[in-house]
Amino acid sequence: MNEQLNKGQGDQFFKERTETNMIIQLIHRYLPFWPLFLITVSMSMSVAYVYLRSQPRIFMAYGRVLLKDPNRGGSESKVLDALNIFGEKKIVENEIVVLRSSSVMQEVVRRLNLYTSIHSKGRVRTEELYGSDAPVSFVALNEDSVTWGGRYDFQVDWDANAIILNEKSYPIGGLITIGGTEYRIVPTKGYNKAAIIGKNFFVEFKNVEG
């Protein structure tokens, strides 16, 4: 019995010794190549970082619209609804057509001032700025007369309280005419003035009709 026990312990020791030797052999085999592994991993991480920095940010937005039938509510209308099987479906389809219409989209563009877009041009990525991320905004005085105006680089001079666009200085809060449309230069409340250091901005004036 002692011999069997010793034999079992010897087999286990031999097995562990063999596995240890294999690990040591693998380490000795690939250890001289550790600079190559380090360079490969560093290059891969650098490429991944540059790729992620160069990609534009993507935001997901969801919304729900409640469609209310103004004809519902009375006892007579309930009887008519029971007889009209496809009435509710037609109402929903009609409302969807209205929501997708160009007139509604144009009204959204006017109310949200989407006819102008401000961008920050960096070394790797060009990023569109929304809301409080932009130093100023350009608001049309007559939103019905907005026309395409093109792209212009500009700089912000907080000391002079002005912007420099197309090599001309325009006071913040004043007016500027682009493509026959007058815009007011509106400063962004609470904007960090130090955030413009080292940044290059440009603005695109678009047409409301797309």
Side-chain angles (χ1 to χ4, degrees), residues 13-184:
F13 175 78
F14 179 77
K15 183 178 180 181
E16 293 177 354
R17 186 69 178 272
T18 303
E19 293 178 353
T20 304
N21 291 335
M22 290 179 62
I23 295 175
I24 294 175
Q25 290 177 5
L26 289 174
I27 293 175
H28 284 293
R29 177 178 297 179
Y30 294 105
L31 186 60
F33 301 100
W34 72 266
L36 180 61
F37 295 151
L38 182 61
I39 294 174
T40 303
V41 172
S42 301
M43 291 181 60
S44 301
M45 294 183 65
S46 300
V47 171
Y49 176 77
V50 173
Y51 174 77
L52 294 176
R53 283 290 304 273
S54 63
Q55 296 302 306
R57 296 180 181 179
I58 300 177
F59 300 91
M60 301 296 294
Y62 299 91
R64 293 183 179 181
V65 178
L66 177 62
L67 303 179
K68 185 177 181 180
D69 187 1
N71 297 324
R72 288 191 174 184
S75 58
E76 296 181 357
S77 62
K78 292 181 179 180
V79 175
L80 294 176
D81 290 340
L83 297 176
N84 189 4
I85 301 175
F86 302 100
E88 183 176 355
K89 183 177 179 181
K90 290 182 179 179
I91 293 175
V92 174
E93 291 178 351
N94 293 338
E95 293 295 337
I96 291 176
V97 172
V98 173
L99 291 174
R100 291 180 176 177
S101 63
S102 59
S103 59
V104 174
M105 295 297 103
Q106 292 174 12
E107 185 64 23
V108 172
V109 171
R110 293 189 181 96
R111 291 191 179 186
L112 299 180
N113 300 331
L114 299 179
Y115 42 78
T116 60
S117 59
I118 298 177
H119 303 259
S120 175
K121 183 170 58 176
R123 296 180 179 178
V124 179
R125 178 180 63 189
T126 298
E127 181 180 6
E128 186 172 359
L129 305 178
Y130 299 93
S132 59
D133 293 333
V136 296
S137 59
F138 298 83
V139 181
L141 298 184
N142 185 5
E143 297 174 345
D144 294 330
S145 64
V146 173
T147 58
W148 184 84
R151 167 181 166 172
Y152 296 88
D153 294 331
F154 73 94
Q155 299 175 349
V156 181
D157 188 353
W158 293 119
D159 295 332
N161 196 32
I163 67 168
I164 301 173
L165 187 146
N166 202 19
E167 298 182 353
K168 294 182 180 180
S169 179
Y170 298 91
I172 296 177
L175 300 178
I176 182 174
T177 302
I178 300 293
T181 304
E182 283 190 319
Y183 299 88
R184 184 174 299 278

